Amino acid sequence: MSEIGQDLAQASRELEQLGPLDAAVAAIDWAIDNYDDDVVVASSFQDVALIDLVRKARASIEVVFLDTEYHFPETLAFVERLRKVWDLNLTVTHPEVALDEFPCGSARCCEVRKVEPLAKAINGRRAWITGLKRVDTPERADAPILGWDANRGLVKVNPIATWTDEDVDRYLADHDLPLHPLTYVGYVSIGCAPTTQPISEGQDPREGRWPGSGKTECGLHV
Ligand code: SF4
């Protein structure tokens, strides 16, 4: 492991000693203290708790939303609503391809609509903050709070990595935060419209994303 990787691992281990909320606040403060305006938040706007935490730490922090142009209208309206209410410093990225070029389900769709726009949005920054949680997928089970994103060459901060779904629900309730409107009609994990479906009670939340495809990641968190 590189020297920077070792330092990050040590700092991450120290954050792990804190409770979920304290660790998240400390991780965000750590990122801002170390990287100032060179830190950017990438948000799906399902992670409203994360946006609330970062905006309270620094109101001017840049928040990036990746508009794949396949989102539900409700998602776009929700993003705009929070931008206005919280006066977010929001950047919305768009793919550089037409809708019928690499359509949903094609091999490069996530790459051209998410991975490449994210790479441009964080290019030149020294750290990015994500809403990744260990409970999201088995592939994320070992995600550190702080780590080195070797593919992109910057620090990756996952403030709510250790949070459970109950931690998220508690934070949302305690702070009276809004929920994505589709949450009220059975959607749990909400991504692009063609690859997201509502789930029934008792169903694994992951069955609501990329149903039947076996896919669990879009390439942002590799
Ligand atoms: S989730 Fe589906 S529609 Fe969205 S970028 Fe990936 S493949 Fe395309």
Side-chain angles (χ1 to χ4, degrees), residues 68-71 102-115 191-196 209-210 215 217-218:
T68 63
E69 298 180 348
Y70 273 114
H71 284 297
F102 306 115
C104 177
S106 64
R108 293 193 57 211
C109 186
C110 284
E111 180 187 336
V112 298
R113 298 179 189 284
K114 292 182 178 177
V115 177
C192 295
T195 53
T196 302
R209 295 293 297 280
W210 297 296
K215 182 169 170 168
E217 291 285 353
C218 58

